[in-house]
Amino acid sequence: MPDALIFAIGAVLGAAVVLGVLASRRLAQGSRDLGSDEERAAYRTLHLAARAARALRGGDSADMSRAARHMRTMLGAQALALVASDGSVVMEPTHPELEDAARSIAQSVRDARARQVFPRQDASRHGWEAVGAPILVDEDVWGVVIAFSSPVRAPLVRATGEVAQWASTQLQLGELEASRAALAEAELRALRAQISPHFIYNALTAIASFTTTDPARARELVLTFADFTRYSFRRHGEFTTLAEELQAIHSYLEIERARFGDRLSVRLRISPETLATVIPYLCVQPLVENAVKHGLEPGIDGGLVTIASVDDGTHTEITVEDNGVGMAPDRAKALLEASATSDHVGMRNVDRRLRQLYGDEAGLVIETNEGAGTMVRVRVPKSQPDHEAP
């Protein structure tokens, strides 16, 4: 064999060996990047738990079927049943012949209010044993989770009890979320109710004063008032954009100018990039109304309201400032507490809604002193994937 051919074959074989070593190292590195077997198992369990939690909080039959499927995978059971308090059964996988056994087991678990293991003759005709555990919500048995297997070993018994407790927690969190949404809606209704009494009366009085002296102005104010009330009493969407809220504020201030005349001045310092920021509906307007009613109206000379917004990296910062009468810092703190008077329900509700949505650190910040005016600051995250303006 020629030396050149031998050299070429050797080079090819050498290259193949090198590539093989590199590939083996890459595979080994990739395996390490994925973590150990225990880490992968933990990730898989957490992933299944997250998906099952979303399904459990959904509440309809399709959601319950998905939850049962994920819970069966988590437990490694041959079959799993979720039996509600009304006796309805969700099986995973479908086993119509097991439903009667599941109902019987669930009744026994409900009566005992404790985890129970059922031997083969009591569980099914398929040779499966079962373990059932109650799902408790507010001390009531919401339902029962039943795992079927052959045989039922101690780890499955413990795991079924833990999964039932986890399901109880998820359902209670779902109820808290529903209560939180209902509270937010109630606070929006309170804001609307707060707008109605004093502002509507003052607006209609101002419009009436122009009907004989300046009918065109009166007609313009009626349309402005209609725009404002349409926004304030809309029935859809908990969120809006800063641009839409500013339009409503403009309508509000036009009506207030009709009352105050030259005593009310307004200055806007709005960064254009902040206009698309999603904010809670009726989040800024009550602050402007508070500045006019409690900051400027008590003074003889009126004053200036400054509305500003800036892009602060991850947040949009919005401030409403007046140069009116101000207040003692202790009184400003009391405005945000439950003991505050009904005159300031708007400020208090805005503060609570911000805290509920974004955490306690997102509450209103008030800077004020007697005779020094008041500034209220709001910080809203720029990225809110779960919140959309209508």
Side-chain angles (χ1 to χ4, degrees):
M1 182 178 293
D3 291 342
L5 181 58
I6 293 173
F7 177 80
I9 293 173
V12 170
L13 291 174
V17 170
V18 171
L19 289 174
V21 171
L22 291 175
S24 298
R25 288 181 177 179
R26 178 63 58 87
L27 288 172
Q29 181 65 41
S31 178
R32 286 195 296 272
D33 289 343
L34 290 174
S36 65
D37 291 342
E38 292 80 5
E39 290 170 336
R40 288 195 293 272
Y43 169 79
R44 183 167 177 266
T45 300
L46 291 172
H47 179 65
L48 286 169
R51 297 181 67 180
R54 288 194 294 270
L56 272 175
R57 296 182 193 182
D60 61 28
S61 58
D63 288 324
M64 289 300 103
S65 295
R66 284 191 290 271
R69 182 169 64 253
H70 297 316
M71 292 165 72
R72 183 178 75 88
T73 304
M74 289 166 61
L75 290 172
Q78 291 173 284
L80 184 135
L82 286 176
V83 184
S85 57
D86 62 1
S88 59
V89 180
V90 174
M91 290 290 308
E92 173 57 38
T94 302
H95 282 287
E97 67 277 11
L98 275 179
E99 291 187 6
D100 287 340
R103 289 190 183 93
S104 176
I105 291 170
Q107 186 60 54
S108 179
V109 171
R110 275 196 296 269
D111 291 342
R113 297 177 62 86
R115 183 183 62 196
Q116 291 184 310
V117 177
F118 298 84
R120 181 175 296 109
Q121 60 270 23
D122 296 334
S124 74
R125 295 173 299 174
H126 295 265
W128 289 344
E129 298 177 359
V131 53
I135 300 174
L136 301 174
V137 178
D138 295 330
E139 301 304 320
D140 295 326
V141 179
W142 176 90
V144 176
V145 57
I146 305 168
F148 293 94
S149 189
S150 178
V152 167
R153 302 186 186 279
L156 179 60
V157 175
R158 292 194 298 270
T160 302
E162 293 296 330
V163 165
Q165 291 183 15
W166 168 84
S168 299
T169 302
Q170 298 307 314
L171 290 167
Q172 290 177 25
L173 288 174
E175 289 188 355
L176 285 175
E177 289 177 356
S179 299
R180 182 170 159 181
L183 177 61
E185 178 60 28
E187 290 179 339
L188 280 178
R189 289 196 297 269
L191 284 171
R192 294 185 178 110
Q194 186 236 357
I195 290 169
S196 304
H198 66 269
F199 176 70
I200 291 178
Y201 173 80
N202 291 338
L204 294 176
T205 301
I207 292 170
S209 69
F210 285 98
T211 54
T212 56
T213 59
D214 191 346
R217 176 65 170 154
R219 189 180 307 111
E220 179 184 335
L221 288 173
V222 167
L223 295 176
T224 300
F225 179 68
D227 289 340
F228 176 76
T229 54
R230 185 182 301 112
Y231 178 81
S232 299
F233 297 105
R234 74 181 192 180
R235 294 297 179 185
H236 63 283
E238 189 182 344
F239 294 88
T240 186
T241 62
L242 178 59
E244 291 178 346
E245 186 102 343
L246 287 173
Q247 289 178 353
I249 290 170
H250 172 75
S251 299
Y252 165 78
L253 290 172
E254 282 298 304
I255 296 169
E256 290 292 50
R257 281 198 187 98
R259 291 200 308 122
F260 280 80
D262 294 337
R263 293 175 57 229
L264 174 60
S265 299
V266 178
R267 179 168 56 198
L268 296 179
R269 293 177 173 174
I270 305 297
S271 298
E273 62 271 21
T274 65
L275 290 172
T277 301
V278 173
I279 64 172
Y281 166 64
L282 285 181
C283 167
V284 182
Q285 189 277 333
L287 308 183
V288 176
E289 185 171 355
N290 186 79
V292 173
K293 181 181 178 183
H294 299 289
L296 304 185
E297 191 168 354
I300 298 175
D301 298 327
L304 170 69
V305 174
T306 301
I307 306 169
S309 67
V310 295
D311 186 329
D312 188 21
T314 59
H315 289 69
T316 290
E317 183 173 288
I318 305 165
T319 56
V320 177
E321 183 177 4
D322 69 77
N323 62 352
V325 298
M327 68 187 83
D330 289 345
R331 183 164 178 262
K333 181 180 179 181
L335 294 182
L336 306 182
E337 297 176 351
S339 59
T341 64
S342 59
D343 283 344
H344 297 282
V345 67
M347 292 273 287
R348 190 168 71 253
N349 283 354
V350 169
D351 179 69
R352 286 182 178 176
R353 290 167 61 213
L354 289 170
R355 292 176 186 273
Q356 289 167 359
L357 290 167
Y358 309 121
D360 286 339
E361 68 280 1
L364 295 178
V365 176
I366 302 177
E367 298 178 13
T368 185
N369 212 331
E370 294 179 348
T374 302
M375 182 174 72
V376 183
R377 180 180 292 107
V378 177
R379 281 174 56 82
V380 179
K382 288 164 57 179
S383 176
Q384 301 185 54
D386 296 332
H387 303 151
E388 294 182 359

